[in-house]
Amino acid sequence: MKTALWVAHVDVTDAEAYAKYAALATGAIADHGGVFLAPGGAVETLEGPARPRNVVARFPSMQAAHDCYHSDAYQAALAHAKGAAQRELSIIEEL
């Protein structure tokens, strides 16, 4: 079974609310077998809109990544991110 990556590009506009999201999301991600590979840090954007925070997490499968996003726990976390950040999130199958 192929693993999958969550790749998120984020511009936080409300640090307090987003911190609540991050705390809750970390548990939801771990509960679905997700492991952070790049939990943020220095970034150099070569193309497209720059987002100062970029996060990559690996999941054991596309289905696990999908199930995590749609889980009650992650959706509860996501409620804190809405209005607190501009985000793009993709699931990418690893080869």
Side-chain angles (χ1 to χ4, degrees), residues 34-61:
V35 177
F36 288 100
L37 301 178
V43 64
E44 177 184 359
T45 301
L46 300 175
E47 295 184 24
R51 300 280 188 214
R53 182 171 174 80
N54 297 273
V55 179
V56 178
R58 175 179 285 135
F59 287 84
S61 66

Side-chain angles (χ1 to χ4, degrees), residues 5-13 18 21 29 38 43 45 47-57 69 74 78 81-92:
L5 302 174
W6 267 18
V7 178
H9 306 288
V10 185
D11 187 1
V12 176
T13 56
Y18 204 78
Y21 155 78
I29 290 166
V43 64
T45 301
E47 295 184 24
R51 300 280 188 214
R53 182 171 174 80
N54 297 273
V55 179
V56 178
Y69 184 84
Y74 187 77
L78 193 56
K82 294 188 187 264
Q86 295 177 352
R87 305 165 22 105
E88 291 89 31
L89 175 66
S90 299
I91 301 173
I92 303 168

Side-chain angles (χ1 to χ4, degrees), residues 59-83:
F59 287 84
S61 66
M62 287 286 288
Q63 189 64 53
H66 173 89
D67 290 349
C68 180
Y69 184 84
H70 293 285
S71 70
D72 291 341
Y74 187 77
Q75 290 300 307
L78 193 56
H80 295 283
K82 294 188 187 264

